[in-house]
Amino acid sequence: MDCIFCEIASKTSEAEIVFENEKFIAFLDINPVNYGHTLVIPKTHFDNFLTMPAKELEEMTKLTQYLSGVIKRALKADGFNVISNNGTSAGQSVFHFHYHIIPRYENDFHMRPRTIEYNSTEIEVYAEKIKAAVSKYEGLLNG
Ligand code: AMP
Ligand code: ZN
């Protein structure tokens, strides 16, 4: 499969690796939004958040929590964003699941380029749509 993150995981492409164990690898993003912007990936290919098996997702999320704390300390960051883009519309450009860890400093930049406003009833309409789906798809995993 033609996947740059699989190549990084198998060491057939280079990356600035900051952590590795049997199942996961973390390396610096080559097009970072801040210094130290790190990507955490499973060595096995899964397309996105929805297709990650629960066990691997749990392990990777714990690892991402640990690495976030380590990066925050190492770079004396004030905070950090943990982000997962899913689908082209959400900005996903590499279709091998990954978390972004982005170190943040007071007043460095705005992460939200826009916000929208609900009109008076819309917020309830959207809540109802989601709540109905929560009932309908109770227990559904993997989208
Ligand atoms: P996303 O847009 O959420 O799919 O994130 C993919 C990220 O991978 C982008 O931020 C890219 O800058 C980064 N990226 C793509 N190719 C490489 C590479 N060879 N080494 C490190 N980071 C990469
Ligand atoms: Zn892959």
Side-chain angles (χ1 to χ4, degrees):
M1 187 190 300
D2 198 16
C3 172
I4 181 63
F5 287 0
C6 282
E7 289 176 14
I8 288 171
S10 66
K11 311 282 171 61
T12 51
S13 281
E14 285 194 3
E16 205 61 59
I17 295 167
V18 296
F19 174 91
E20 180 173 7
N21 67 15
E22 204 182 312
K23 287 186 167 177
F24 305 102
I25 190 161
F27 52 93
L28 297 189
D29 193 307
I30 40 160
N31 192 18
V33 300
N34 239 354
Y35 295 101
H37 180 164
T38 298
L39 301 173
V40 185
I41 68 166
K43 287 185 173 176
T44 304
H45 184 100
F46 299 103
D47 288 346
N48 61 43
F49 185 65
L50 290 179
T51 57
M52 278 290 284
K55 183 168 174 284
E56 276 70 17
L57 183 64
E58 184 182 345
E59 288 175 14
M60 186 167 143
T61 303
K62 282 182 181 162
L63 173 62
T64 300
Q65 182 189 45
Y66 161 72
L67 289 175
S68 297
V70 168
I71 290 166
K72 182 172 182 283
R73 282 168 188 246
L75 304 184
K76 297 185 170 43
D78 299 313
F80 56 91
N81 295 105
V82 173
I83 295 174
S84 157
N85 298 322
N86 290 273
T88 313
S89 63
Q92 187 175 11
S93 59
V94 177
F95 293 83
H96 178 132
F97 179 60
H98 52 283
Y99 283 127
H100 296 253
I101 303 172
I102 304 172
R104 299 300 304 273
Y105 300 87
E106 294 302 331
N107 303 315
D108 55 1
F109 62 93
H110 289 287
M111 184 56 89
R112 299 178 81 183
R114 66 159 207 173
T115 58
I116 54 127
E117 278 179 31
Y118 290 116
N119 70 28
S120 56
T121 55
E122 267 178 336
I123 194 162
E124 290 163 27
V125 170
Y126 279 88
E128 285 308 322
K129 281 188 193 195
I130 295 168
K131 286 192 285 185
V134 167
S135 306
K136 185 173 175 187
Y137 301 118
E138 191 184 354
L140 175 77
L141 290 175
N142 301 337

